[in-house]
Each structure stands twice: as C-alpha cells, then as structure tokens.
Amino acid sequence: MATQLTGEQDGAIARAIELGKRQIQQEIADDRIPPTVTDFAKLHDFVDANEFDWPCEDDGEWNRLFPRTSAAEEDDFCEAANRIQEALGQWLTASVERNALLVEKLVEDALNAACLSVRDGLKVSAGDAVGVFFSGSQKEAFQTMFARYVLCEISWMAEDEGDCPAGA
C-alpha cells in the first residue's frame, strides 16, 4: 500500500516532476543526454539523475515537508522520490516533449544558417528582408516543417538503437 502523503507534499511532488521535466529537456538540448533516451534508468548512463534539484536539496521545502528523522519519515521521503521517478519515467517513455528545447534550438539554428547562406551567397550586408520575410506565418511554416524533420531524424536514431517507441 502506498504511503499517504499530505496535499502539501503532493504539491511539492508535482512541482518536482515539472522541474525534473525541464531539467531533462535542458540536458537533452545541451547534448548531455541523447534525444532517444526513453527510460529514466538510462539517464544515469549520461548524467547523475539523482543530482537534479529535486528532492536532494539541502534546505527548504523538501527538508520541511519530508524530514528524515524516523523510519516512517524516511518511508515518506522514499515514496515521494519514487513517485517523481515513476512520473518522469512515464513522461520520457510517452512524450516527445522531452525534446522540445532541442527541437526549438535546432530549428532556430537551421533558419539562421539558411538565411546566412542566402545573404552570403548574394553578398547582402543588411538583414532587413530576412526579418520581414521570416515573420508571422512564413516563420511558423518553416518552424513547423523543420520541427517535423528534426523529430523524424530523432525517430530514425531511436530505430537504429533499437529503442524506437511504437508509433514514433
């Protein structure tokens, strides 16, 4: 039977899950975790996932909500940590959202590289036209197309590793 936690503890767990998601996204965008990782345990091959800011902080909310001065309190802390890891594991498995920051960065880099290539090839010194052309729906269309391409490449990477989730 799962440990019964307070509403305040459940809220801290929910915030830790969201923080963990953002940290994983950043680690993927910073090229410390491959975009194909879909298993929480595999994170440890690349980073120390236990060092993410949740629940290992020295001061603050976690120590207040999950003191570890007795066996029962230690059980509550472990229950909270397990819930966080399980939620992050499910999110990694079922969500391409883990790659959102990476996709955003790669799409922006692609747009900048393409525009620079055109400007250099035409020997254009001012960037006024590119700023006007790639605004609104033109920029959105480029971003959508390249985001789909990036996700396709990630899917193929996962297939090559034998880790491709069904339907990716």
Side-chain angles (χ1 to χ4, degrees):
M1 182 168 101
T3 303
Q4 192 76 327
L5 300 177
T6 68
E8 192 175 12
Q9 289 171 321
D10 284 337
I13 291 169
R15 287 186 297 281
I17 291 166
E18 292 307 309
L19 175 60
K21 289 176 183 179
R22 288 190 307 272
Q23 289 174 318
I24 291 168
Q25 287 175 327
Q26 190 62 56
E27 295 290 324
I28 290 171
D30 291 343
D31 199 29
R32 287 189 281 273
I33 298 172
T36 55
V37 171
T38 58
D39 180 354
F40 188 84
K42 287 290 275 180
L43 292 176
H44 292 283
D45 292 348
F46 307 99
V47 297
D48 185 354
N50 295 326
E51 292 297 317
F52 288 154
D53 288 341
W54 55 269
C56 300
E57 66 182 33
D58 292 331
D59 297 322
E61 184 177 42
W62 277 94
N63 280 341
R64 181 178 61 77
L65 293 175
F66 298 99
R68 293 183 276 173
T69 58
S70 70
E73 290 174 344
E74 187 70 37
D75 287 346
D76 289 348
F77 177 86
C78 288
E79 175 68 20
N82 287 337
R83 287 184 191 182
I84 294 165
Q85 288 183 7
E86 286 173 20
L88 291 175
Q90 290 172 355
W91 175 76
L92 277 168
T93 301
S95 173
V96 294
E97 181 186 315
R98 69 184 178 277
N99 294 316
L101 289 177
L102 174 64
V103 170
E104 182 180 310
K105 176 189 178 300
L106 292 174
V107 168
E108 190 66 26
D109 289 352
L111 178 58
N112 290 339
C115 293
L116 180 61
S117 178
V118 169
R119 289 181 54 212
D120 286 351
L122 296 175
K123 300 188 182 4
V124 174
S125 60
D128 297 342
V130 74
V132 172
F133 186 83
F134 283 108
S135 62
S137 63
Q138 295 286 68
K139 185 173 184 177
E140 289 172 20
F142 180 90
Q143 289 171 322
T144 299
M145 178 183 61
F146 260 80
R148 286 181 33 218
Y149 165 63
V150 171
L151 291 172
C152 180
E153 288 287 1
I154 291 170
S155 177
W156 285 4
M157 288 170 62
E159 285 178 9
D160 289 345
E161 294 175 4
D163 292 336
C164 186

